[in-house]
Amino acid sequence: MFQAFRRWRRRRIIERAALDPALWQATLAQLPFLAGLSAEDDERLRQTVILFLHTKSIHGAAGLEIEPAMQLLIAAQACILILNLDIDYYAGWVEVIVYPDEFVPKAEYVDEDGVVHTDLAPRAGEAWLQGPVILSWADVAPRADGDGVNVVIHEFAHKLDMLNGDANGFPPLHAGMSRRDWTAAFESAYADFCRRVDADEETAIDPYAAESPAEFFAVMSEAFFEMPATVRADYRVVYDQLARFYQQDPLQRRSAQVQ
Ligand SMILES: [Zn+2]
């Protein structure tokens, strides 16, 4: 009964939404990593974006005006993660706050000696447990294809990770997935990646991934969508786990497009 009501309500939201088809196409054209979506995937992404925009409030900070095209660009990137999951993966919070550029969070932390420090490092994005996602517009705007850096995917991957508590690189897995396989894949890849970064090796994947298991999951998610061939070549087991978690195969999508 509840399921049926929810489906009906969603259908009504989608039918009533006025999403300009030209604006939608222009949005997709700016995101080369979304090239190769089948017609069904494209339609499902569009519907997910409508539900996302219906349930989230995207607003500017520090004087930034948010245009419809900006909302769509953020929503399309956020929704590719849940293309084959459900809009409820982003339930329980509402706000997306967008600064014009990198922002300095008022974050304080206490070290082992009890000294309070203020972290003044500028950030491109932040995701709060049960709270907002904060983004820098300068970093949301699309970059050259395939550099593997995508702040929207990064922060929304943290949101998925936080569905079962603090971000730790272990989101809630689907039925049929193995906690042991996930942990084995990510632990060995993380150890190898940290070794490479410590050895000053040039890595195609953003070295920020070495920061913590939570950052490793978020950065690998960015790379999974933006440069799937690299992730699969370097860390096949991680690619396979991410493909099961996100229930999609960006590499196959890309190769289907090339043929
Ligand atoms: Zn992060």
Side-chain angles (χ1 to χ4, degrees):
M1 175 65 192
F2 180 69
Q3 285 286 340
F5 172 71
R6 196 170 61 168
R7 266 201 302 276
W8 170 81
R9 198 168 163 272
R10 285 183 179 182
R11 173 83 14 230
R12 210 168 66 139
I13 292 166
I14 290 163
E15 282 167 5
R16 289 183 173 185
L19 204 165
D20 178 354
L23 197 54
W24 176 242
Q25 287 310 319
T27 303
L28 293 181
Q30 287 183 73
L31 300 169
F33 71 94
L34 293 183
L37 286 176
S38 67
E40 297 94 77
D41 282 354
D42 181 301
E43 176 57 18
R44 200 162 56 259
L45 182 64
R46 196 185 70 87
Q47 295 188 2
T48 310
V49 160
I50 289 169
L51 294 171
F52 181 90
L53 293 174
H54 185 83
T55 49
K56 299 291 173 243
S57 143
I58 304 179
H59 52 91
L64 182 69
E65 293 263 358
I66 303 290
E67 309 281 344
M70 296 161 79
Q71 290 193 335
L72 270 185
L73 197 61
I74 292 168
Q77 296 180 81
C79 289
I80 191 65
L81 281 76
I82 55 164
L83 176 68
N84 293 328
L85 303 177
D86 190 275
I87 191 67
D88 281 352
Y89 274 74
Y90 292 151
W93 59 277
V94 170
E95 273 188 308
V96 179
I97 301 166
V98 190
Y99 281 87
D101 210 326
E102 286 194 325
F103 54 93
V104 178
K106 287 198 187 71
E108 286 191 339
Y109 66 97
V110 184
D111 71 15
E112 299 155 343
D113 300 320
V115 179
V116 178
H117 297 267
T118 307
D119 181 359
L120 292 175
R123 309 227 175 140
E126 260 190 347
W128 292 23
L129 185 67
Q130 292 165 351
V133 168
I134 309 173
L135 299 166
S136 142
W137 176 250
D139 294 271
V140 167
R143 301 172 173 227
D145 183 23
D147 70 353
V149 175
N150 185 308
V151 69
V152 181
I153 292 178
H154 183 103
E155 299 309 331
F156 281 83
H158 280 321
K159 274 295 191 189
L160 298 177
D161 190 356
M162 289 170 179
L163 283 169
N164 53 2
D166 282 325
N168 60 0
F170 197 98
L173 304 182
H174 310 302
M177 289 184 75
S178 152
R179 294 171 66 97
R180 192 189 297 176
D181 289 352
W182 178 278
T183 306
F186 275 85
E187 276 184 0
S188 66
Y190 180 60
D192 180 72
F193 191 76
C194 289
R195 181 191 56 73
R196 291 168 66 192
V197 170
D198 286 345
D200 286 330
E201 195 182 307
E202 279 283 329
T203 55
I205 295 166
D206 187 350
Y208 185 63
E211 195 78 7
S212 68
E215 296 307 336
F216 189 70
F217 168 69
V219 172
M220 290 307 263
S221 294
E222 294 174 66
F224 175 75
F225 286 101
E226 288 236 345
M227 43 181 203
T230 303
V231 178
R232 195 162 179 276
D234 285 11
Y235 300 111
R236 171 78 192 259
V237 285
V238 166
Y239 186 90
D240 291 346
Q241 289 297 319
L242 289 173
R244 281 162 157 256
F245 178 68
Y246 289 114
Q247 296 183 12
Q248 50 186 309
D249 188 344
L251 188 58
Q252 192 190 45
R253 186 152 71 214
R254 197 157 293 196
S255 30
Q257 187 215 358
V258 172
Q259 278 158 15

